[in-house]
Amino acid sequence: MNPEALVAQFGEQQIAAFMLVLARISPLFILAPLFSSKMLPGRARGIAAVALAVGMAPIVGKFGGDAKIPLDALSFVGLMFKEILVGMAFAFALGALFAAVSLAGNLLDTMIGFAFGALVDPVTGNPGGVLSQLYALVGVMVFVVIGGDAWVIQGLARTYDAVPLLEAPAIGTLVEGMQVAFSGVLGAAVQIAAPVLVAVILTDVGFGVVSRVVPQLNVFAVGFPAKVTVGLVLIGASLPFVAGWLGDELQASVGSALHALQVEG
């Protein structure tokens, strides 16, 4: 179907609304958990983004009432940029949560010693240790089980209540929300890994004392298997609590992302 026939069938306003909605949805498939996973082919993510835009565009178009989308090039490009910015702010707040989960795994990989065998993380596509991959996959599993994908889509739809299609967001509030999300990554990672980190540090301290008392003992040969054993046991014990924490934090992340989106007054 050529562009003229497409415009004649659907109308300029509907096509413009679809393109603007697609611009807000697209960052979800670049930054948000699960939606941006490298395990999903790029073509599949593109089709999913278009399908979401097709479903949301007619509903979003009604929020504007009788207001018309400006179709001149300069105004429309400005609206596209605004929509991408709003979508990035929403997706970034969610992506920061799962960045904290992966960072917790990286911290434990370094402390226990699994960082020596870094592999490519199938979720993010970046090099990562065994525990980083484990935590990332557990995070995705919990995300799917608790219906996180539905929460994210509902949250994305609610962004149009906060920042309608033809309104501009408050940049100050937007930047502050992204700053809060970014600055909380390390703290959240330490919360996730804290029980295992404390146990591994205490194990290191214990073997340090033993090496002073018995210098003949090869501490590295004995301590490394001990650290791995202690780490894996505590990871198995703490993962159920991590799953509960992740569910609570996901709801809070969607809420904080929506709170950061306000119309410029």
Side-chain angles (χ1 to χ4, degrees):
M1 183 179 291
N2 57 45
E4 290 79 9
L6 192 65
V7 171
Q9 182 173 353
F10 294 101
E12 293 180 341
Q13 290 294 315
Q14 290 184 350
I15 294 175
F18 165 78
M19 294 178 65
L20 292 175
V21 171
L22 183 61
R24 186 177 294 199
I25 289 174
S26 296
L28 204 68
F29 293 85
I30 301 173
L31 299 173
L34 183 62
F35 295 90
S36 63
S37 174
K38 300 300 181 183
M39 293 187 292
L40 298 175
R43 184 175 297 179
R45 282 181 280 164
I47 293 172
V50 171
L52 282 175
V54 168
M56 294 176 64
I59 303 172
V60 171
K62 294 178 181 178
F63 290 161
D66 297 329
K68 299 294 185 181
I69 299 173
L71 299 178
D72 59 286
L74 187 60
S75 299
F76 191 74
V77 169
L79 283 175
M80 288 285 287
F81 178 77
K82 183 267 294 184
E83 289 297 304
I84 292 173
L85 184 64
V86 171
M88 287 183 64
F90 180 77
F92 181 81
L94 302 174
L97 174 61
F98 277 72
V101 175
S102 295
L103 180 57
N106 281 323
L107 289 174
L108 295 179
D109 276 323
T110 303
M111 292 297 298
I112 296 175
F114 287 138
F116 291 117
L119 303 172
V120 175
D121 189 340
V123 176
T124 63
N126 300 320
V130 176
L131 297 181
S132 176
Q133 295 185 45
L134 172 65
Y135 273 77
L137 291 173
V138 167
V140 171
M141 179 185 68
V142 173
F143 184 81
V144 172
V145 168
I146 65 177
D149 51 341
W151 291 353
V152 171
I153 294 173
Q154 290 172 9
L156 183 66
R158 288 177 58 189
T159 62
Y160 288 98
D161 293 330
V163 182
L165 203 61
L166 301 179
E167 300 287 342
I171 299 299
T173 309
L174 199 67
V175 172
E176 182 182 356
M178 296 178 71
Q179 181 181 358
V180 169
F182 180 77
S183 61
V185 170
L186 181 59
V190 172
Q191 289 182 42
I192 296 170
V196 186
L197 283 176
V198 171
V200 171
I201 290 172
L202 290 176
T203 304
D204 278 336
V205 171
F207 277 101
V209 173
V210 170
S211 69
R212 300 287 293 184
V213 176
V214 189
Q216 298 84 1
L217 181 66
N218 188 345
V219 177
F220 184 80
V222 178
F224 185 75
K227 286 172 61 177
V228 171
T229 303
V230 170
L232 291 179
V233 168
L234 283 176
I235 287 171
S238 64
L239 274 180
F241 300 98
V242 172
W245 177 91
L246 188 60
D248 295 337
E249 288 298 314
L250 180 61
Q251 295 185 52
S253 295
V254 173
S256 62
L258 291 174
H259 180 72
L261 297 174
Q262 297 180 11
V263 175
E264 187 174 14

